[in-house]
């Protein structure tokens, strides 16, 4: 087990709705990254948070936003859901220093948009 | 655009067969290279990584990978696979972005027949 927990594990939304996904990072980790994994694809980087600020972003529109809290947990928010947002959303935690390069992944939140 | 290519979508082997999974990336700068594995029903976990130094790196469970800079490749190998190696394998590359910004390949599903 990695110690990274995500909630909810599964959820169903309709197009146009908003969703919030949550992640608790592994103890001792201060950096959280979010990934989207569509069916049959590898994970795709959404953004990373460090010290409660966004610290790198992938090619995702602004309706994908996030937060990091003082306890290093994090949220991913997606507004105006589209059908293509259906995917597994992965959270990964790591430590900024020393940088081992290893990400510790949670089991993901599977979002279905109807 | 920066990308990671995994050549095989699904590989089927018998136990004791040798394994080589291909991975190529498109980026001319300094890279950090990773192989992650996802066993059935489990989260993604690190198999091995390369940052610098000896281009032949050894990971867990007898896996190794070789970084060939001139070929932009980081192929994964194992001399003798076991049924328990059945999993999906992802090559990932950090191409100078933030620490958590990995570009993943689409993955290779390995099925090992007992």
């Amino acid at each position: 087990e990695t110690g990274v927990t995500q909630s909810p594990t599964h959820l169903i939304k309709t197009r146009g709705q908003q969703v919030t996904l949550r992640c608790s990072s592994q103890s001792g980790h201060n950096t959280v990254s979010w990934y989207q994994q569509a069916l049959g694809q590898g994970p795709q980087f959404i953004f990373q948070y460090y010290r409660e600020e966004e610290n790198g972003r992938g090619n995702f529109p602004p309706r994908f936003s996030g937060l990091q809290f003082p306890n290093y947990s994090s949220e991913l928010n997606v507004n105006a859901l589209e059908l293509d947002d259906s995917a597994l959303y992965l959270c990964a935690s790591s430590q900024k220093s020393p940088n081992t390069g290893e990400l510790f992944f949670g089991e993901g939140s599977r979002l279905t948009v109807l | 655009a920066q990308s990671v290519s995994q050549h095989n979508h699904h590989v089927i082997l018998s136990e004791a067969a040798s394994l080589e999974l291909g991975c190529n990336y498109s980026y001319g700068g300094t890279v950090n290279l990773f192989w992650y594995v996802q066993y059935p029903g489990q989260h993604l976990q690190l198999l091995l990584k390369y940052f610098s130094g000896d281009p032949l790196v050894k990971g867990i469970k007898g896996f190794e990978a070789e970084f060939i800079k001139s070929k932009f490749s980081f192929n994964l190998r194992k001399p003798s696979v076991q049924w328990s190696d059945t999993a999906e394998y992802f090559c990932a590359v950090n191409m100078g972005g933030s620490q958590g910004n990995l570009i993943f390949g689409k993955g290779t599903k390995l099925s090992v027949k007992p």
Side-chain angles (χ1 to χ4, degrees):
Chain A
E1 294 298 319
T2 62
V4 177
T5 58
Q6 294 186 241
S7 64
T9 54
H10 295 81
L11 70 167
I12 300 173
K13 293 285 188 178
T14 56
R15 197 168 45 181
Q17 285 189 312
Q18 178 266 343
V19 68
T20 297
L21 307 178
R22 295 177 176 83
C23 172
S24 294
S25 59
Q26 180 161 314
S27 176
H29 288 181
N30 56 16
T31 303
V32 173
S33 304
W34 285 92
Y35 285 80
Q36 180 196 66
Q37 187 175 14
L39 202 60
Q41 303 294 315
Q44 189 174 357
F45 177 69
I46 303 175
F47 44 54
Q48 178 183 356
Y49 276 81
Y50 170 65
R51 288 186 175 178
E52 302 177 50
E53 291 192 359
E54 190 178 287
N55 180 38
R57 187 178 184 95
N59 189 25
F60 280 81
R63 60 189 185 83
F64 285 78
S65 63
L67 286 172
Q68 187 181 31
F69 301 100
N71 67 354
Y72 307 126
S73 66
S74 177
E75 285 182 356
L76 164 66
N77 298 288
V78 187
N79 293 323
L81 283 168
E82 301 177 0
L83 297 179
D84 285 349
D85 295 333
S86 295
L88 180 68
Y89 288 85
L90 296 169
C91 169
S93 73
S94 57
Q95 54 188 29
K96 193 75 169 174
S97 178
N99 178 12
T100 66
E102 182 173 0
L103 300 182
F104 292 79
F105 285 87
E107 296 194 8
S109 294
R110 186 166 296 282
L111 171 65
T112 301
V113 182
L114 303 176
Chain B
Q2 299 166 348
S3 65
V4 176
S5 300
Q6 292 185 240
H7 312 305
N8 309 99
H9 178 64
H10 191 186
V11 172
I12 303 173
L13 296 173
S14 298
E15 275 193 317
S18 64
L19 169 72
E20 181 160 3
L21 301 182
C23 173
N24 286 89
Y25 62 92
S26 60
Y27 182 68
T30 301
V31 293
N32 295 327
L33 301 155
F34 306 82
W35 276 96
Y36 277 82
V37 60
Q38 187 167 29
Y39 296 104
Q42 296 188 26
H43 55 84
L44 274 167
Q45 57 187 283
L46 183 68
L47 199 55
L48 49 77
K49 64 184 179 184
Y50 173 81
F51 275 23
S52 62
D54 188 344
L56 183 63
V57 293
K58 296 192 184 299
I60 59 172
K61 303 187 181 186
F63 285 90
E64 65 179 30
E66 185 175 13
F67 170 47
I68 303 180
K69 189 175 181 179
S70 61
K71 295 185 177 180
F72 301 94
S73 70
F74 190 55
N75 292 354
L76 180 71
R77 299 194 293 250
K78 185 171 184 178
S80 176
V81 296
Q82 300 173 318
W83 176 79
S84 57
D85 293 325
T86 295
E88 189 155 18
Y89 294 81
F90 293 92
C91 179
V93 182
N94 181 296
M95 301 185 190
S98 60
Q99 175 193 7
N101 184 353
L102 297 184
I103 299 177
F104 281 82
K106 290 186 176 182
T108 298
K109 188 170 292 188
L110 172 66
S111 299
V112 180
K113 299 183 293 185

